[in-house]
Amino acid sequence: SPRDRTTGGGGDPAGGARMSNDAVERFATVPLFEGLNPEEVAYMLRVAEDVSAAPGDVLIREGANADAFYVIAAGAFEVRKKDETLARLEDFSYFGEMSLCSNEPRSATVICVQTGRLKKFSIDTFQRMIESGNKIAYKVLRSMCRILAKRLARLGERMVS
């Protein structure tokens, strides 16, 4: 039966487990991790929680408070606003990243449509990284700024044309 994953739970922390080079290389392709070296990607994977999702599981609910962002390791997920599907996300896509920049409520719901595995990055953990001066957190934020700038530029182009 579908589970609501918006209230925590859902997996074992990645803890101190060693990341395989293959996993690090695959996650290094995620735009949020652009500019991170392999050791920094491995660090991010260690501070994340491993989450499994089944079809119907809700990872993020529109209007809810933001507590994490996610990177998809496998599976498929739909981004929905009201009853409209806005996007289908698959391997090494990410969602919930706006929570890095804003305390605004979630703007959409994300639901699993094909059995998946994800890395869940706690906003509290990320905030502690920033407050302690962790350079990896700053690199991820810089990537987020680049991503947002590109999105705004595309939106501006659509408005002009």
Side-chain angles (χ1 to χ4, degrees):
S1 73
R3 297 164 291 178
D4 187 325
R5 310 300 262 157
T6 62
T7 56
D12 302 318
R18 276 204 55 71
M19 294 294 129
S20 74
N21 287 338
D22 189 42
V24 170
E25 285 177 21
R26 288 193 321 263
F27 277 94
T29 66
V30 175
L32 281 174
F33 300 152
E34 186 178 309
L36 298 184
N37 66 41
E39 293 78 22
E40 292 167 331
V41 172
Y43 176 86
M44 286 298 295
L45 296 178
R46 282 193 306 273
V47 301
E49 178 183 347
D50 292 314
V51 175
S52 296
D57 287 356
V58 174
L59 282 326
I60 287 179
R61 188 170 302 285
E62 184 176 356
N65 291 333
D67 65 340
F69 68 96
Y70 298 81
V71 176
I72 301 167
F77 299 80
E78 286 184 352
V79 180
R80 298 177 182 170
K81 193 162 182 72
K82 301 195 175 16
D83 291 327
E84 182 183 356
T85 298
L86 303 177
R88 181 180 172 101
L89 305 175
E90 296 183 353
D91 300 6
F92 305 102
S93 295
Y94 53 92
F95 58 89
E97 74 282 359
M98 294 300 294
S99 60
L100 290 174
C101 305
S102 167
N103 289 331
E104 295 296 313
R106 298 292 194 182
S107 61
T109 295
V110 177
I111 188 166
C112 180
V113 293
Q114 179 184 326
T115 301
R117 291 179 292 107
L118 309 97
K119 288 290 190 175
K120 179 180 180 180
F121 297 87
S122 158
I123 296 306
D124 288 341
T125 298
F126 200 79
Q127 287 297 114
R128 283 194 298 278
M129 288 170 63
I130 291 169
E131 289 164 7
S132 69
N134 184 308
K135 287 187 168 113
I136 299 168
Y138 286 101
K139 287 181 175 183
V140 172
L141 282 176
R142 193 168 54 222
S143 292
M144 184 66 203
C145 288
R146 278 194 295 272
I147 291 164
L148 289 175
K150 287 177 186 176
R151 287 179 187 167
L152 283 172
R154 283 195 308 267
L155 184 62
E157 288 168 11
R158 276 188 262 164
M159 291 175 67
V160 170
S161 56

